[in-house]
């Protein structure tokens, strides 16, 4: 029993010392305190509170890289792509070698804002890193191809007449990837609601569409 007690005590001391020895990009104790509180809030799914704590941490030390990175991740999961991209770019500005995946995340957010040149630059940089998984390379190249296509389309615009197809199909949500079968009376498309994608079918009845 005595040996078991000493083993548990030693393990507890080791964990405590490891936590104390964790190195951050800042030595500002107040900034680290707010960052730790943000981590607790994030674990409890209190994201607004986590954002508030991270902003306090950054206010204490504007070059606190981990706080910028964590804040960017929260904004990205909430689809606040502009705010997320700003935080990721700050990470790259303070230390370009801190986290290679931040280049992918920055590029992804910039594509959502139609900032294709910036996105291409960050994705090109991401693909220069060694030891990327095949899936990571595939996803980055897919986004990079989207950038190239968009940049080319902007440089070589094709004239077209935009017409709203009607509220049965065109809503406030994202609709894309339309397909029309041979009968030309059916439209199949994708609609994304709250980041969830589903297929929809609209049938033309008496010149009007019904989804």
């Amino acid at each position: 029993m005595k040996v078991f007690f000493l083993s548990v005590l030693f393990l507890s001391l080791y964990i405590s010392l490891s936590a104390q020895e964790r190195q951050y990009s800042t030595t500002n104790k107040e900034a680290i305190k707010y960052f730790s509180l943000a981590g607790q809030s994030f674990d409890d799914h209190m994201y607004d509170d986590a954002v508030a704590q991270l902003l306090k941490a950054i206010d204490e030390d504007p070059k606190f890289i981990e706080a910028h990175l964590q804040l960017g991740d929260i904004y990205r999961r909430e689809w606040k792509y502009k705010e997320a991209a700003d935080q990721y770019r700050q990470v790259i500005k303070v230390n370009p070698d801190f986290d290679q995946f931040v280049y992918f995340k920055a590029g992804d957010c910039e594509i959502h804002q139609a900032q294709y040149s910036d996105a291409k630059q960050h994705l090109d940089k991401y693909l220069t890193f060694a030891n990327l998984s095949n899936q990571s390379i595939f996803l980055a190249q897919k986004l990079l191809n989207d950038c190239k296509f968009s940049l080319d389309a902007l440089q070589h615009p094709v004239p077209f007449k935009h017409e709203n197809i009607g509220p049965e199909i065109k809503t406030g949500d994202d609709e894309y990837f339309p397909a029309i079968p041979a009968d030309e009376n059916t439209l199949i498309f994708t609609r994304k609601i709250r980041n969830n994608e589903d297929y929809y079918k609209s049938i033309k009845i008496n010149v009007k569409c019904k989804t």
Side-chain angles (χ1 to χ4, degrees):
M1 178 65 73
K2 183 176 181 181
V3 173
F4 175 77
F5 175 77
L6 289 174
S7 297
V8 172
L9 178 61
F10 176 78
L11 179 61
S12 299
L13 287 172
Y14 174 79
I15 294 174
S16 177
L17 289 172
S18 297
Q20 292 176 11
E21 292 172 358
R22 181 176 179 182
Q23 298 296 312
Y24 291 107
S25 60
T26 184
T27 57
N28 186 303
K29 293 183 178 179
E30 285 296 301
I32 294 173
K33 180 189 75 174
Y34 289 128
F35 182 78
S36 298
L37 291 173
Q40 296 173 17
S41 296
F42 184 86
D43 290 341
D44 293 333
H45 307 289
M46 299 170 59
Y47 302 120
D48 289 342
D49 186 64
V51 167
Q53 298 295 345
L54 289 168
L55 289 173
K56 290 180 181 178
I58 292 171
D59 187 57
E60 289 291 336
D61 185 353
K63 293 185 178 181
F64 191 178
I65 299 175
E66 292 87 348
H68 284 292
L69 186 59
Q70 182 68 57
L71 185 56
D73 289 344
I74 294 177
Y75 283 144
R76 185 169 175 243
R77 67 175 286 130
E78 294 180 340
W79 314 316
K80 297 178 179 178
Y81 296 112
K82 179 183 183 303
E83 292 85 349
D86 289 342
Q87 297 303 318
Y88 294 143
R89 284 191 289 263
Q90 191 63 30
V91 171
I92 295 170
K93 179 181 178 181
V94 176
N95 185 349
D97 300 319
F98 183 79
D99 180 359
Q100 64 186 33
F101 194 53
V102 73
Y103 289 93
F104 177 92
K105 292 188 283 189
D108 177 55
C109 292
E110 287 159 346
I111 286 176
H112 279 87
Q113 301 174 82
Q115 297 176 344
Y116 302 116
S117 295
D118 291 338
K120 182 179 181 301
Q121 179 182 351
H122 287 133
L123 292 168
D124 278 333
K125 174 65 175 178
Y126 177 69
L127 287 169
T128 64
F129 291 107
N131 302 320
L132 295 178
S133 68
N134 290 334
Q135 183 181 15
S136 296
I137 294 173
F138 173 81
L139 291 174
Q141 288 179 336
K142 193 272 180 188
L143 292 180
L144 192 56
N145 288 335
D146 290 344
C147 285
K148 293 176 180 177
F149 174 85
S150 299
L151 288 169
D152 183 70
L154 289 172
Q155 293 173 3
H156 305 92
V158 176
F160 69 95
K161 183 180 180 181
H162 179 273
E163 292 184 9
N164 192 321
I165 202 167
E168 290 291 339
I169 297 174
K170 181 59 180 173
T171 67
D173 297 305
D174 290 336
E175 287 102 6
Y176 41 86
F177 298 146
I180 300 177
D183 65 7
E184 297 186 356
N185 288 316
T186 304
L187 176 66
I188 301 171
F189 61 96
T190 301
R191 177 176 289 157
K192 183 166 70 173
I193 302 176
R194 295 179 186 145
N195 219 33
N196 292 315
E197 294 180 324
D198 285 301
Y199 291 111
Y200 286 80
K201 180 173 72 173
S202 181
I203 301 174
K204 185 167 66 175
I205 302 176
N206 296 327
V207 190
K208 293 185 178 180
C209 294
K210 183 176 181 180
T211 303

